[in-house]
Amino acid sequence: MTSAPAGWPLDHVGVAVPDLDAGARPWATLGLPAGPAETIPEQGVRVRFLGAGGARIELLAPLREDTPVGRFLASRGSGLHHLAFRVDDVAAELERLRSEGARLVDERPRTGHGGSLVAFLHPSWSGGVLVELVGPAPGGGA
Ligand code: CO
């Protein structure tokens, strides 16, 4: 078991939208440039990162209605979806959090954007906020 971190840096804020192009427009007006869109089949989403340097915004649009983000949009509409923190080792942090009683969505890391590894913690554990851990893939990547 690893010790508790001093504090994970915020990596990005996830925002659910029905459409990545339309969803990026207000942020472009605020001066946040949009990166290329990327499809993540494992999560049933297309994503697009906005901003350069510092914490970024991740726009998420569902590939289908019967996906987590599709269900989120159907029940709540567009809006804040998750906070993502950058960690060195997603699997080790999951193990530590499990041992401390955290409720996990993902029992083990899965593939995220840009080849990263990600895992989600259940919002019922974290005050109603979906939390994502994001870390580098073994052997490199994001
Ligand atoms: Co994310």
Side-chain angles (χ1 to χ4, degrees):
M1 177 176 138
T2 57
S3 59
W8 296 320
L10 185 67
D11 185 82
H12 63 267
V13 174
V15 174
V17 294
D19 180 88
L20 290 183
D21 290 330
R25 261 176 230 131
W27 304 105
T29 306
L30 286 173
L32 295 177
E38 177 185 358
T39 299
I40 307 174
E42 292 89 343
Q43 295 179 30
V45 289
R46 263 173 87 70
V47 305
R48 201 167 175 188
F49 278 82
L50 313 178
R56 299 167 298 163
I57 292 173
E58 177 188 34
L59 294 182
L60 307 105
L63 294 176
R64 300 176 309 278
E65 287 181 10
D66 63 336
T67 59
V69 174
R71 287 188 287 273
F72 179 94
L73 282 177
S75 66
R76 303 197 209 180
S78 297
L80 189 59
H81 182 261
H82 66 270
L83 297 182
F85 294 91
R86 193 161 54 244
V87 303
D88 293 332
D89 185 332
V90 176
E93 284 300 332
L94 272 184
E95 199 51 52
R96 184 184 67 79
L97 287 161
R98 181 190 292 111
S99 76
E100 298 194 16
R103 187 171 171 204
L104 311 180
V105 172
D106 297 308
E107 291 295 323
R108 52 183 51 88
R110 55 191 165 120
T111 304
H113 60 89
S116 61
L117 286 181
V118 302
F120 287 88
L121 311 182
H122 202 281
S124 67
W125 176 75
S126 38
V129 178
L130 180 64
V131 173
E132 177 184 17
L133 308 181
V134 55

